[in-house]
Amino acid sequence: MALAVAALAVFAAGLGILAPTAAYAAEGCKVDYKIASQWGGGFTGDVKITNLGDAVNGWNLVWTFPNGQRVTQVWNATTTSSGDTVTAKNMGYNAAIPTNGSVSFGFNGSWSGTNGVPTSFSLNGKVCTGTVGEPSTPPTTTPPPTGGISAMETVAAMQPGWNLGNSLDAVGADETAWGNPRITEALIQNVAAQGYNSIRIPVTWDNHQSKSAPYAVEDAYLDRVEEVVGWALEADLYVLINIHHDSWIWMADMNTNRTVVEARYEAIWTALADRFRDAPPELLFESVNEPQFNNVDDTTAYALLDDLNTSFHEIVRASGGGNATRVLVLPTLHTNAEQGRLDALSATIEALDDPNIAATIHYYGFWPFSVNIAGFTKFNDEVRADLEGYFDRAHDEFVANGIPVLVGEYGLLGFDTHTGTVEQGEKLKFFEYAGYYARQKGITLQIWDNGQHFDRTAFQWRDPELFAMMKAAWTTRSGTAATDQIFVPRTATVADVSVTLNLNGTTFQGLRLGSTNLVQGTDYTVSGSTLTIKASRLTAILGDRSYGVRGNLHAVFSQGAPWRISVISYDQPTMSAATGASATFAIPTQFKGDQLATMEAKYADGTNAGPQNWTSYKEFGRAFNPDYAAGTITLPTAFWSEVNDGQKVTLTFHFWSGRTVTYYVTESGGNVTGSLS
């Protein structure tokens, strides 16, 4: 994508009022229109409206495209079009624009030939001029409504959200202890520029709190947390701070060390409540991350968590100021949505009888799929049902009863090992559906990012395709397909290949190769949800048919992100005999363009071998690791530590082309022999 193609600042006058009870507005505003990224036939636009007059409640922005461009997808607004003229209207959560305040929305669009920027905007019926003019109507004699927005509205306005993971929550000397760079204001601003409305800032306090009474928190550390929070608030982000890894470092021993745990916990929240007493309501507090307690049953754990959540509530509310009504976020035990956990938190919230409470859970998907174990390599019906059940339970327990739900972390657990643990297309289907279904249930999502997604110095996405799918899911659905890979044997005759499309409520618009729109009937055909790519087009893409991805097609739908389909030339993968120490053993592998999906491990008698022997299919990234550049598949210590010494193990490697390779390994006294028989 070409970045920062163009930027235009146009000034608007005349902020009219849509709602009859809205505050009177002096005339004046500024509109910043940017083409944030552009590719063949498509682009992303970002629009920022800054109110230079009195506060308004309700807005619409009108402009005319100069070169026939069209909006295909929008977030944080709704749009209608009449020819080249576009009208963007506010969502419920961003209708109000205070004096000198701003709202932003974005869209994906299509273009052909030239992608010029609009030269004029009108806001609420008035042409933009860039100065604060005289009022066009007298001010209302009725004062504007007072009071903040509700907890439900607050959490809705936080969608979508991003986690500043493995920084202030890192366990060590400072925020760089886990490998991330020091947080900068530029990072926070760039996160906001991606379209996020909230940021969760996890904070671990253990190394910055005295271990003896009165358990004082370091002022310098509070200063640093306050600095980062301030940057986020200045970037117009909702902010959530918490007590993070302390939950397992020292709080987990609460049942046997209750006096100390309660005193330390209360000292932290007393310090935070005092420090942020007068912070704006866009700052939220979360009592504790993923609460857990050692060596107790659930009933005892529920009581311990209730004690902490109640204490948290009392400390913050009693501190007054903005804390008297600040939205407080309470987790379930382990921050998961098992029904018993939800019921226990419901009882706590009911007893507190406070309208400014939100519930939080985390979701990392159906576990076998999330880490790629037990053969769950695809986003299938079982994986989808798990997601639906999780969000349904949270909705029915809380949202349906007026209590907002914040999924403070979501993603895939396999990312802890490698972002490639789950195959790209299957990963994209998970994130597409998670975003869609959360919207259906009125649940706000905050993506967990510990540095593996958004580069914190280059300010770019490490996987732009994943971000495009997540971003589309903020407002709409995207079409996908049964696969994102077409494997063509290198020496075989090329034939037509059919791929089943998952339309997800969209309509198929066309197939693109780079910036070239392919010709239906010549290059491909479509029948219902079946896309068939012609052999002639595949042959042209394959070229000299050297191994690997030879080209990427993109299926374009009426809305959402396009779906990539890689055309891959491959042959049967092969492996070679090898010997070595178990700590460094790797199987020499010629992948020949293919990609590894999973691995099975069994003893000669057919019983399962290796770790987690309830399944023959081992965990990707932990029990085996492919290295395509090096031409190896490593079997790490985690695999050998649970293999019987001296027993031969049959390994079956399953590849995405459908091919398999059988290999045999025997470990004896720390040395491994690998063979083909």
Side-chain angles (χ1 to χ4, degrees):
M1 293 184 179
L3 298 178
V5 175
L8 175 69
V10 181
F11 297 89
L15 289 174
I17 303 301
L18 295 183
T21 59
Y24 164 71
E27 299 176 354
C29 78
K30 179 175 68 173
V31 177
D32 297 311
Y33 176 104
K34 296 180 180 179
I35 299 177
S37 59
Q38 179 173 297
W39 59 96
F43 71 103
T44 296
D46 289 329
V47 182
K48 181 179 180 181
I49 306 170
T50 301
N51 176 21
L52 302 178
D54 292 340
V56 298
N57 188 8
W59 52 266
N60 66 76
L61 184 72
V62 180
W63 72 88
T64 300
F65 280 125
N67 306 115
Q69 301 98 319
R70 294 292 183 265
V71 173
T72 58
Q73 172 196 352
V74 66
W75 47 92
N76 296 331
T78 60
T79 60
T80 56
S81 299
S82 176
D84 293 335
T85 301
V86 180
T87 300
K89 294 185 178 182
N90 62 270
M91 307 293 285
Y93 55 78
N94 63 0
I97 315 178
T99 302
N100 294 320
S102 300
V103 295
S104 297
F105 64 92
F107 64 90
N108 287 335
S110 61
W111 67 284
S112 178
T114 302
N115 189 17
V117 298
T119 57
S120 178
F121 291 85
S122 294
L123 191 66
N124 290 354
K126 299 295 183 179
V127 179
C128 302
T129 64
T131 59
V132 180
E134 292 299 319
S136 58
T137 57
T140 176
T141 57
T142 303
T146 60
I149 62 176
S150 69
M152 189 71 78
E153 292 169 324
T154 295
V155 173
M158 294 171 72
Q159 169 67 16
W162 182 84
N163 270 268
L164 182 60
N166 287 19
S167 285
L168 289 171
D169 60 311
V171 179
D174 65 14
E175 66 199 69
T176 67
W178 283 359
N180 277 318
R182 187 172 171 82
I183 303 161
T184 63
E185 185 174 13
L187 168 63
I188 304 300
Q189 291 171 339
N190 274 275
V191 168
Q194 305 307 304
Y196 286 103
N197 289 322
S198 66
I199 181 171
R200 182 171 180 255
I201 304 176
V203 186
T204 298
W205 302 92
D206 182 54
N207 284 358
H208 306 281
Q209 182 185 29
S210 171
K211 303 303 188 295
S212 59
Y215 306 107
V217 178
E218 293 175 7
D219 284 339
Y221 197 60
L222 282 168
D223 290 344
R224 176 57 172 161
V225 172
E226 185 177 19
E227 180 178 44
V228 176
V229 167
W231 289 339
L233 291 171
E234 289 169 7
D236 294 327
L237 293 167
Y238 284 83
V239 184
L240 180 65
I241 60 174
N242 70 357
I243 294 177
H244 204 75
H245 290 303
D246 305 85
S247 63
W248 56 264
I249 296 172
W250 52 271
M251 293 175 64
D253 290 325
M254 183 174 176
N255 196 48
T256 57
N257 195 25
R258 187 163 186 152
T259 300
V260 172
V261 168
E262 286 180 337
R264 290 189 67 180
Y265 179 80
E266 291 167 5
I268 293 170
W269 276 118
T270 298
L272 286 171
D274 178 68
R275 180 62 68 105
F276 292 105
R277 180 180 182 274
D278 297 318
E282 288 78 15
L283 174 64
L284 289 74
F285 295 157
E286 176 188 13
S287 68
V288 60
N289 171 75
E290 297 183 355
Q292 52 200 278
F293 304 99
N294 296 328
N295 305 315
V296 299
D297 58 20
D298 279 356
T299 300
T300 303
Y302 294 149
L304 294 172
L305 179 56
D306 177 76
D307 178 73
L308 293 176
N309 280 336
T310 301
S311 176
F312 161 70
H313 180 267
E314 290 175 352
I315 290 168
V316 175
R317 289 290 182 251
S319 64
N323 292 338
T325 55
R326 189 176 310 285
V327 175
L328 304 182
V329 181
L330 305 183
T332 60
L333 183 65
H334 297 290
T335 324
N336 73 30
E338 292 181 14
Q339 191 60 51
R341 318 301 202 213
L342 300 175
D343 292 342
L345 182 58
S346 281
T348 297
I349 293 174
E350 183 177 359
L352 293 175
D353 191 24
D354 184 335
N356 290 322
I357 296 289
T360 184
I361 56 175
H362 294 172
Y363 187 63
Y364 284 98
F366 181 58
W367 180 72
F369 171 77
S370 186
V371 301
N372 192 348
I373 195 174
F376 280 90
T377 58
K378 294 188 176 183
F379 184 70
N380 60 19
D381 289 343
E382 191 169 357
V383 179
R384 185 180 298 104
D386 181 86
L387 186 155
E388 292 173 351
Y390 206 89
F391 289 176
D392 284 350
R393 290 192 299 274
H395 170 274
D396 295 347
E397 186 81 34
F398 296 120
V399 179
N401 294 302
I403 301 166
V405 170
L406 181 67
V407 180
E409 296 178 17
Y410 90 107
L412 293 171
L413 287 175
F415 286 169
D416 286 345
T417 303
H418 191 278
T419 54
T421 297
V422 177
E423 193 274 329
Q424 182 74 357
E426 305 306 315
K427 175 199 313 178
L428 295 177
K429 284 184 272 189
F430 168 83
F431 281 96
E432 191 281 329
Y433 197 72
Y436 157 73
Y437 205 73
R439 282 191 293 108
Q440 304 312 299
K441 296 300 175 179
I443 292 172
T444 290
L445 299 176
Q446 294 184 304
I447 184 71
W448 176 255
D449 189 349
N450 61 18
Q452 77 272 68
H453 294 313
F454 189 63
D455 189 306
R456 297 185 182 183
T457 54
F459 308 136
Q460 295 179 347
W461 291 94
R462 301 183 194 276
D463 186 345
E465 191 173 53
L466 172 59
F467 177 64
M469 187 63 79
M470 289 193 296
K471 189 169 186 176
W474 297 344
T475 55
T476 191
R477 294 215 66 181
S478 295
T480 65
T483 184
D484 62 340
Q485 302 175 105
I486 293 176
F487 285 93
V488 181
R490 184 179 183 186
T491 58
T493 300
V494 180
D496 293 354
V497 174
S498 294
V499 176
T500 301
L501 301 175
N502 305 315
L503 295 173
N504 298 332
T506 72
T507 57
F508 176 78
Q509 299 288 295
L511 193 64
R512 194 173 66 221
L513 177 63
S515 60
T516 301
N517 293 318
L518 300 186
V519 179
Q520 185 170 351
T522 301
D523 298 309
Y524 68 92
T525 61
V526 178
S527 177
S529 61
T530 301
L531 168 68
T532 300
I533 304 164
K534 294 288 191 178
S536 57
R537 173 51 64 180
L538 290 173
T539 299
I541 294 171
L542 288 164
D544 65 6
R545 302 182 71 169
S546 56
Y547 293 135
V549 176
R550 305 301 301 149
N552 291 310
L553 299 166
H554 285 87
V556 180
F557 301 91
S558 56
Q559 62 188 34
W563 181 259
R564 174 192 45 78
I565 303 172
S566 295
V567 179
I568 303 168
S569 177
Y570 85 105
D571 271 335
Q572 169 71 41
T574 59
M575 298 178 181
S576 304
T579 59
S582 59
T584 58
F585 182 75
I587 303 170
T589 305
Q590 295 185 52
F591 292 97
K592 299 183 179 180
D594 215 336
Q595 297 176 29
L596 188 59
T598 187
M599 179 191 82
E600 288 186 272
K602 294 182 178 182
Y603 294 115
D605 62 3
T607 58
N608 298 329
Q612 296 167 318
N613 61 13
W614 51 270
T615 175
S616 63
Y617 291 91
K618 303 294 100 175
E619 184 176 346
F620 196 109
R622 294 194 183 274
F624 64 98
N625 288 293
D627 186 329
Y628 298 104
T632 60
I633 299 175
T634 300
L635 303 179
T637 302
F639 176 78
W640 299 112
S641 62
E642 298 190 47
V643 169
N644 296 334
D645 195 71
Q647 277 194 256
K648 191 174 188 178
V649 178
T650 301
L651 304 177
T652 304
F653 293 93
H654 297 262
F655 292 83
W656 279 103
S657 67
R659 301 293 183 95
T660 62
V661 175
T662 301
Y663 195 82
Y664 303 91
V665 291
T666 305
E667 190 257 351
S668 180
N671 295 309
V672 180
T673 300
S675 65
L676 297 172
S677 61

